[in-house]
Amino acid sequence: MSETTPTRVDFWFDPSCPWAWMASRWVKEVAHHRDLELNWHVMSLAVLNEDKDVDDDYRAFFPRALRYTRLVAALAEIEGQQIVEPLYDALGTRIHPGGSKDPDEVIPAALAELGLPAEYAKYADSDEYDAQMRASHFDGINRVGQDVGTPVIAVDGVAFFGPVISPAPKGEQALALWDGVVAAARYDGFFELKRSRTRDPIFD
C-alpha cells in the first residue's frame, strides 16, 4: 500500500479581514475531505497599506487590526507555530460571526478559551515582535505582489491572492471550487479573474 504525501497549504491572514475568514473556513472544510497539511501565517493589512493613499475610514480600522496581528505574531514566537490556528479560530469567531469590534473584549476571551495566560494580552499593544510579524507578512505578500490583500494562499508553493467568497462553500461545492482555483493558479500564465462583489460576507 503506497502512502501519498499531504498537499502543503500555507495560508496568510489578517484576523480582522472578513474575506480571509471566509476563505479560511473554506480551506478547513476542504481539509476534512482532502489530505492537506495546513500552515497558518499572519499578515497585516496595516503594514500592507502603511504607505498607500487610502480613505480615512479604512485607515481608522488599521490600529485595531494591528493589535490582533501583533498578538498572533507574539504568541507564535512564545507558544510555537501550533498556536496560530486555534488562536485565529478563537479571535475570528468573535470578530466575524460574533460581530465584536472591541479588541479589549475579543482578546481576553480568546486567550481564556485557549487556556493561555491573560497577561499575553499585553502583546497586542507591543511592537516587541513586529519584526517577526513583518517577516511573516512579506513572506506571503512577496509571493503574489503588493497590489493584493488578504488572504494569500500557497498550494505546494504556488501562491495566489484570494479567493474572495461568500459564503464559504461546503462539501462537494467546496472541493469543486478548490480544484478549480488550484488548477488555475498552477498555470504559469494565469494572473487574474475578477468580478464585482454583489454581497457582504455571510457567516455561518
Side-chain angles (χ1 to χ4, degrees), residues 182-194:
V182 171
R186 281 183 170 152
Y187 175 61
D188 184 62
F190 179 81
F191 300 108
E192 188 170 350
L193 180 68
K194 188 173 182 178

Side-chain angles (χ1 to χ4, degrees), residues 57-201:
D57 287 343
Y58 190 35
R59 189 166 297 282
F61 152 83
F62 294 149
R64 182 173 79 241
L66 187 59
R67 295 183 72 189
Y68 294 128
T69 57
R70 281 176 161 167
L71 180 72
V72 175
L75 268 59
E77 292 297 314
I78 296 167
E79 292 286 332
Q81 189 65 26
Q82 74 280 353
I83 200 63
V84 174
E85 180 179 4
L87 181 58
Y88 182 30
D89 289 347
L91 293 170
T93 298
R94 290 168 172 81
I95 296 167
H96 302 300
S100 178
K101 298 185 181 299
D102 186 357
D104 291 327
E105 293 180 357
V106 170
I107 290 170
L111 293 175
E113 178 186 326
L114 300 179
L116 295 170
E119 56 265 29
Y120 279 176
K122 68 183 180 182
Y123 292 110
D125 299 301
S126 169
D127 62 2
E128 183 175 351
Y129 293 95
D130 274 15
Q132 292 90 334
M133 182 264 287
R134 286 176 172 269
S136 178
H137 169 86
F138 286 111
D139 182 30
I141 206 70
N142 286 342
R143 300 173 188 231
V144 291
Q146 296 291 324
D147 57 344
V148 297
T150 175
V152 170
I153 302 175
V155 181
D156 280 340
V158 178
F160 52 91
F161 159 66
V164 176
I165 51 176
S166 179
K170 301 283 195 303
E172 290 299 321
Q173 196 171 42
L175 298 178
L177 179 62
W178 176 260
D179 291 338
V181 168
V182 171
R186 281 183 170 152
Y187 175 61
D188 184 62
F190 179 81
F191 300 108
E192 188 170 350
L193 180 68
K194 188 173 182 178
R195 61 182 175 183
S196 297
R197 293 197 297 263
T198 59
R199 66 180 68 149
D200 291 329

